Amino acid sequence: MSLLRLYARVLGLLGSDIKLGWLLAIANVALAAAQFAEPVLFGRIIDALAGVRPGDTDVTWESLLPLLLLWAGFGIFTILCGVVVALYADRLAHRRRHAVLTAYFEHVLQLPVAYHGGSHSGRLMKVMLAGTDSLWSLWLSFFREHLAAFVSLIILLPLSLYLNWRLALLLIILCFVFAALTSFVLRRTNDMQTEVERHYSDLAERASDALGNVALVQSYVRVEAEVSGLRNVVDRLLSAQMPVLSWWAVVAVATRASTTLTLLAIFLVGTYLMFQGLATLGEIVMFMGFATMLVGKLDQAVGFVNKLFMDAPRLQEFFDVLDTAPTVSDKPNAIDPGRLNGHVVFNAASFSYDGKRPAVADLNFAALPGDIIALVGPTGAGKTTALALLHRAFDPQSGSITIDGIDLRDMKLAALRRNIGVVFQEVLLLNRSIRENLYIGKPDATEDEMRAALARAQALEFVENKPEGLDAIVGERGRFLSGGERQRLSIARALLKDPPILILDEATSALDAATEAKVQAALDEVMRNRTTFVIAHRLSTIRNATRILVFQGGYIIEAGTFDELVELDREFATLARAQFMIADRTTAASDRVAARE
């Protein structure tokens, strides 16, 4: 994306503040125009005083007073207009920064889990903060000074040509030199700055990784290694950044040098022209003021281009994330069916992540309200993908899934997910209070409802033992709680939601045997009269399932009750024997022979 297109997108994010943006733009035009009055009026005053000798009365205060008053008036207007522009530019930039940050955050939260699986959370956070900081800085600098600088350049050159085209040629040559030098530096450093931003992303990801796994880092004595790794990233970053800074330093030096050279050239050429009768002393002074102003405006313009260039890679990253479309979204005519009964039907549903190998294929099964459907099979067999389709993390690429006869794609996504409760194998808790984590299940839950849900999940006792009770902070990802406490709290959250459809992904995997028995009893109670899907590796937890689906390679290879599948003596029976759920047939036969003897 070119710098102009990129900045057009930056201005496009002004949103509801676009009217204020236009007002600031008009104010900048007025400010730029007023700034030229000062050197012009000063030159006229110099011309009026040039031929005056001590004691002469040809020039009176009455003839100078209008010029002096105009000079003062334009000066006061420039000051007041500058203050107003700066004040409202600050307000606009800060307001839009927070609005865009919030919109980005909302957009990222709506992106599918698969996207987050491939994008590091540290990188996404870095992109959000760095991108909105760049937007804020560009809006602020553009409306406070850079827009006025560009407008001044547009006004100055035609005005200078009108006043004295010979001296104006010097200013035009100066502009061309600046433009050529800036363009050259941009071309030389474009790829370098992209690499710099890539190193910044690596830095954010590496630091986030280490901080998010600080217990691992400390227990394996990896502090020095992690610091050394981060230092290496910083060294690579600086190695890439220094050449960019060196090139832009050349531009800065050229700006300083051009001020002196241009003023000297105008003085020499102006003196020659005055001797030839082609310029006045006032015009020489006027154009020296123009030159000083021009160099200042060119410096600001180059500074803006430099700022935009430096920020371009992070803005490109920001817009790339913002342009990422969710793979699952609501149809224009999607409906909200309210509370569903939970009659789920998979009709030849298939899905592939890479378009080559199916993650699940031709899934055909149904579940009635009150049914407990267990999904078993080896890791990667398709169990989680099947329930991800039910939860609409993805849509099936062929076939369909319906609930109560309504295709999932015809429902509003939020309405569907309000009807589904999930207890994950990896417990997901926010670094907030127990109360706030329970509010996720039911935002308007009363304290009595929370305590009832905690009691059913065998979690009330450990909550009441905490001095802060429900207001106790659980820590990042629940680190202040034990594994069993985290899992029981997540079960209580699902119970509080009271959905017609429940998904349990190894929900009791982190519990000890005694607590598991209690939680299983609570789950047995809450699963009544609702459709429940259980992903299980421990077959003891699904002994009483209504139906068991055995997955292998994305296909359902067996289906039936526990006893029916054992009787088939195929894959499920092998799993059951491996977990000592049933006796090995050879051993059982030997035992029977020994008993007869």
Side-chain angles (χ1 to χ4, degrees):
M1 187 181 294
S2 68
L3 292 183
L4 288 178
R5 286 181 57 202
L6 186 65
Y7 198 69
R9 290 208 63 179
V10 171
L11 293 179
L13 289 177
L14 289 175
S16 58
D17 285 302
I18 190 65
K19 290 183 179 179
L20 178 58
W22 277 109
L23 289 175
L24 288 172
I26 294 170
N28 271 279
V29 173
L31 185 61
Q35 288 175 339
F36 288 105
E38 295 186 54
V40 172
L41 290 170
F42 186 56
R44 294 289 181 260
I45 292 172
I46 293 297
D47 278 337
L49 295 174
V52 178
R53 298 178 180 275
D56 284 353
T57 58
D58 293 342
V59 179
T60 63
W61 281 107
E62 287 75 10
S63 61
L64 292 176
L65 189 59
L67 294 175
L68 293 172
L69 289 176
L70 281 173
W71 189 9
F74 277 111
I76 294 172
F77 173 79
T78 300
I79 294 171
L80 293 178
C81 191
V83 170
V84 172
V85 166
L87 177 64
Y88 282 96
D90 278 353
R91 294 182 177 182
L92 179 146
H94 280 85
R95 188 162 56 239
R96 293 311 306 167
R97 175 193 191 182
H98 295 304
V100 172
L101 185 148
T102 304
Y104 173 96
F105 182 68
E106 180 182 10
H107 173 75
V108 169
L109 287 181
Q110 292 174 337
L111 292 176
V113 175
Y115 176 85
H116 289 276
S119 300
H120 197 285
S121 59
R123 174 184 172 273
L124 291 175
M125 182 65 72
K126 174 258 178 186
V127 169
M128 179 177 74
L129 296 178
T132 52
D133 279 350
S134 296
L135 289 169
W136 168 79
S137 179
L138 285 171
W139 286 326
L140 188 63
S141 60
F142 185 74
F143 285 115
R144 287 186 66 169
E145 54 186 32
H146 293 138
L147 178 57
F150 284 114
V151 173
S152 297
L153 292 175
I154 294 172
I155 296 174
L156 186 146
L157 295 180
L159 178 63
S160 62
L161 285 170
Y162 171 75
L163 293 172
N164 191 313
W165 66 268
R166 298 174 179 84
L167 291 174
L169 290 177
L170 296 173
L171 302 182
I172 294 173
I173 292 171
L174 178 64
C175 288
F176 275 116
V177 170
F178 262 83
L181 181 60
T182 303
S183 177
F184 174 75
V185 171
L186 282 174
R187 287 197 303 271
R188 290 299 301 266
T189 57
N190 183 49
D191 293 338
M192 297 180 191
Q193 188 60 29
T194 301
E195 184 181 356
V196 169
E197 201 56 35
R198 187 163 53 249
H199 290 312
Y200 272 115
S201 293
D202 293 343
L203 185 68
E205 290 183 12
R206 192 174 187 91
S208 178
D209 262 346
L211 293 174
N213 296 279
V214 68
L216 174 69
V217 171
Q218 291 180 354
S219 63
Y220 279 82
V221 198
R222 290 283 303 175
V223 173
E224 186 177 346
E226 289 299 320
V227 172
S228 177
L230 191 69
R231 191 175 289 120
N232 289 336
V233 176
V234 171
D235 289 342
R236 290 196 298 271
L237 189 156
L238 290 175
S239 296
Q241 183 74 82
M242 290 307 174
V244 178
L245 298 178
S246 298
W247 277 110
W248 284 101
V250 171
V251 178
V253 171
T255 302
R256 307 290 186 280
S258 62
T259 304
T260 302
L261 293 175
T262 304
L263 289 175
L264 180 60
I266 287 176
F267 180 77
L268 293 175
V269 173
T271 301
Y272 172 78
L273 292 175
M274 187 177 70
F275 288 153
Q276 300 297 318
L278 300 175
T280 66
L281 178 62
E283 288 178 341
I284 296 174
V285 173
M286 183 193 310
F287 271 83
M288 292 185 73
F290 280 168
T292 303
M293 182 183 295
L294 178 64
V295 170
K297 299 305 179 183
L298 285 173
D299 192 24
Q300 289 181 348
V302 171
F304 175 74
V305 174
N306 181 23
K307 171 67 176 169
L308 182 57
F309 169 76
M310 293 292 188
D311 288 345
R314 66 189 62 171
L315 287 171
Q316 186 64 63
E317 275 192 311
F318 183 85
F319 287 125
D320 285 344
V321 176
L322 210 58
D323 291 340
T324 302
T327 55
V328 176
S329 57
D330 290 336
K331 287 183 177 180
N333 57 346
I335 63 171
D336 183 348
R339 185 177 177 86
L340 298 165
N341 294 319
H343 182 194
V344 178
V345 177
F346 278 68
N347 181 25
S350 299
F351 179 80
S352 171
Y353 290 102
D354 57 11
K356 300 176 182 177
R357 184 172 57 89
V360 291
D362 295 325
L363 299 185
N364 286 287
F365 64 90
L368 298 174
D371 281 355
I372 301 173
I373 307 298
L375 289 72
V376 301
T379 301
K383 306 181 299 296
T384 300
T385 301
L387 295 187
L389 293 175
L390 176 61
H391 200 245
R392 277 201 82 192
F394 320 99
D395 281 330
Q397 291 155 347
S398 64
S400 65
I401 305 172
T402 63
I403 301 178
D404 298 350
I406 306 172
D407 193 305
L408 301 189
R409 290 165 290 199
D410 294 329
M411 299 184 199
K412 290 184 177 179
L413 191 59
L416 168 67
R417 292 178 177 173
R418 276 196 296 268
N419 281 277
I420 300 176
V422 184
V423 179
F424 301 96
Q425 181 178 8
E426 179 187 358
V427 180
L428 305 176
L429 296 173
L430 301 177
N431 185 19
R432 300 170 192 172
S433 67
I434 293 173
R435 186 190 306 275
E436 288 176 284
N437 275 282
L438 290 176
Y439 276 142
I440 294 172
K442 187 178 181 182
D444 59 349
T446 65
E447 187 161 329
D448 289 341
E449 289 174 324
M450 290 183 186
R451 291 184 177 278
L454 289 167
R456 294 172 69 188
Q458 306 296 315
L460 184 58
E461 182 179 356
F462 83 76
V463 173
E464 290 182 335
N465 286 337
K466 293 185 176 294
E468 304 91 347
L470 287 168
D471 294 317
I473 302 299
V474 303
E476 186 179 3
R477 298 180 183 176
R479 285 180 178 172
F480 295 164
L481 305 178
S482 69
E485 288 171 344
R486 290 197 295 268
Q487 192 63 283
R488 281 179 278 167
L489 183 56
S490 71
I491 292 171
R493 183 171 59 195
L495 293 171
L496 195 61
K497 186 176 182 179
D498 189 28
I501 300 171
L502 189 64
I503 296 175
L504 305 177
D505 187 353
E506 280 291 318
T508 61
S509 61
L511 307 181
D512 57 79
T515 306
E516 180 183 358
K518 296 178 182 179
V519 174
Q520 194 62 51
L523 290 174
D524 289 342
E525 178 185 344
V526 78
M527 286 189 291
R528 290 178 189 155
N529 301 319
R530 75 180 78 236
T531 309
T532 305
F533 295 88
V534 182
I535 295 178
H537 292 100
R538 288 193 291 181
L539 303 186
S540 60
T541 62
I542 58 167
R543 184 68 177 78
N544 298 319
T546 307
R547 197 175 185 201
I548 299 172
L549 307 176
V550 183
F551 279 72
Q552 190 174 79
Y555 291 88
I556 298 174
I557 60 171
E558 296 178 42
T561 64
F562 191 96
D563 293 335
E564 289 171 348
L565 293 177
V566 169
E567 187 64 27
L568 280 175
D569 194 26
R570 292 168 58 190
E571 187 67 27
F572 182 81
T574 302
L575 292 173
R577 278 191 288 273
Q579 297 184 25
F580 305 103
M581 292 291 296
I582 59 174
D584 183 83
R585 291 198 167 193
T586 303
T587 303
S590 299
D591 290 343
R592 286 194 297 271
V593 170
R596 284 197 298 269
E597 291 176 350

